Amino acid sequence: MSTNKVALVTGSNKGIGFAVVRALCKEFPGDVYLSARDVDRGTAAVENLKTEGLNPFFHQLDISDPASVRHARDFFKEKYGGLDVLVNNAGIAFKVNDSTPFGIQAEVTLRTNFLDTRDLCNEFLPIIKPGGRVVNVSSGMSSIALKSCSPELQARFRSNDITEEELVMLMEKFVQEAQKGEHTHKGWPNTAYGVSKIGVTVLSRIQARRLREERAGDQILLNACCPGWVRTDMAGPNAAKSPDEGAVTPVYLALLPVGATEPQGQFVSEKQVQVW
């Protein structure tokens, strides 16, 4: 078993994830794994970074495929005894002018960005080593969407006693109501991406609370973050930040120093904790 520290970034063959891998290769004192659904794209991304004098490793990982997730989990457990850093970056967004019916957009977006991320976390959080860092890449859209929710929904999403089961139920309820065209009447915002990222931010709060209760002595810090509006395939060419600028906050959270106790379970943007 390797005694090296190890970091894994999901969905990292391009965009923000790729930039996070690049930064971690320069700053993280251990092995850094770039991962992607597609082996050819992932391998090409690794080779691209090697031309910069960096040395990432590649592991295939499709967060929507439970077998792929478990295979990756077992690999890191057997080779390294677990993970020191996990950056959950993989996600999707439909374009604004996409003609796919909203109900389908809601189902696909919530499944990938929320449910698949949650399922991966439930496999990987038990193998996060003491002193580990977990970063769930959310979005500023989560707080914008939250403000557009009904007061009742806002109260649940901000509460300190919401459970993972209740959160999943609420996310599934949004999809069902979106498919019936009733979501706005039921107090939801008209953004599947925004609701999926509410899910990621609230899930992070729940996960951090659970870590405090169940692994208090392990000093694992888990947070959600907004990378900002970044020029990627997802956000388009007019966004304000480069991918490397978008990677700054996720990398900051991934490299919080040994002994740090904060931030924990927070929503962080521009390296600053935001009011949720």
Side-chain angles (χ1 to χ4, degrees):
M1 187 185 291
S2 174
T3 56
N4 288 4
K5 288 194 159 195
V6 61
L8 168 65
V9 185
T10 71
S12 50
N13 60 291
K14 62 181 181 178
I16 295 166
F18 182 78
V20 169
V21 171
R22 175 190 277 133
L24 288 177
C25 283
K26 295 174 182 176
E27 299 177 53
F28 176 72
D31 295 346
V32 180
Y33 278 78
L34 180 153
S35 70
R37 287 180 298 181
D38 184 280
V39 172
D40 290 341
R41 288 178 187 162
T43 307
V46 163
E47 293 307 314
N48 188 343
L49 288 171
K50 284 183 176 175
T51 66
E52 299 178 22
L54 304 174
N55 191 32
F57 298 87
F58 175 70
H59 201 287
Q60 191 277 341
L61 177 58
D62 179 354
I63 71 164
S64 68
D65 177 357
S68 170
V69 170
R70 286 193 294 270
H71 180 259
R73 176 204 62 193
D74 292 347
F75 168 81
F76 288 105
K77 190 175 181 181
E78 288 161 19
K79 184 170 174 62
Y80 295 93
L83 269 182
D84 297 281
V85 170
L86 171 62
V87 180
N88 284 308
N89 169 74
I92 62 162
F94 284 84
K95 302 292 185 199
V96 174
N97 58 359
D98 194 297
S99 59
T100 304
F102 186 76
I104 295 173
Q105 290 194 29
E107 182 183 2
V108 172
T109 306
L110 270 287
R111 186 171 63 230
T112 303
N113 292 359
F114 174 71
L115 289 170
D116 290 346
T117 297
R118 171 215 178 219
D119 290 346
L120 180 137
C121 284
N122 286 340
E123 296 289 357
F124 272 86
L125 286 182
I127 70 160
I128 301 296
K129 297 182 196 174
R133 305 287 181 252
V134 181
V135 184
N136 294 330
V137 177
S138 185
S139 167
M141 280 299 296
S142 70
S143 50
I144 293 168
L146 179 70
K147 295 183 179 95
S148 300
C149 287
S150 68
E152 295 78 13
L153 284 171
Q154 287 189 45
R156 288 319 297 148
F157 289 137
R158 289 191 170 113
S159 73
N160 291 322
D161 63 359
I162 186 172
T163 63
E164 188 175 314
E165 293 70 26
E166 183 186 354
L167 178 61
V168 170
M169 191 179 70
L170 285 167
M171 293 288 114
E172 289 174 344
K173 192 174 174 199
F174 166 73
V175 172
Q176 291 159 6
E177 290 171 350
Q179 288 171 337
K180 294 176 189 168
E182 297 174 351
H183 58 288
T184 50
H185 302 300
K186 297 290 180 74
W188 294 98
N190 198 32
T191 162
Y193 182 77
V195 172
S196 77
K197 293 301 191 177
I198 289 176
V200 172
T201 302
V202 177
L203 179 67
S204 305
R205 289 160 60 86
I206 293 166
Q207 290 169 335
R209 193 173 74 218
R210 192 182 304 147
L211 284 169
R212 274 195 297 267
E213 292 165 359
E214 297 174 6
R215 298 182 63 181
D218 284 352
Q219 298 186 311
I220 297 167
L221 296 180
L222 184 154
N223 293 282
C225 73
C226 168
W229 191 31
V230 179
R231 291 187 291 280
T232 61
D233 290 350
M234 192 184 287
N238 300 321
K241 287 184 174 183
S242 69
D244 288 325
E245 290 168 331
V248 168
T249 294
V251 170
Y252 158 73
L253 292 171
L255 299 177
L256 287 168
V258 175
T261 57
E262 293 290 340
Q264 170 70 318
Q266 301 289 348
F267 179 58
V268 180
S269 178
E270 307 294 344
K271 300 203 284 190
Q272 299 294 318
V273 171
Q274 305 299 306
V275 176
W276 178 245

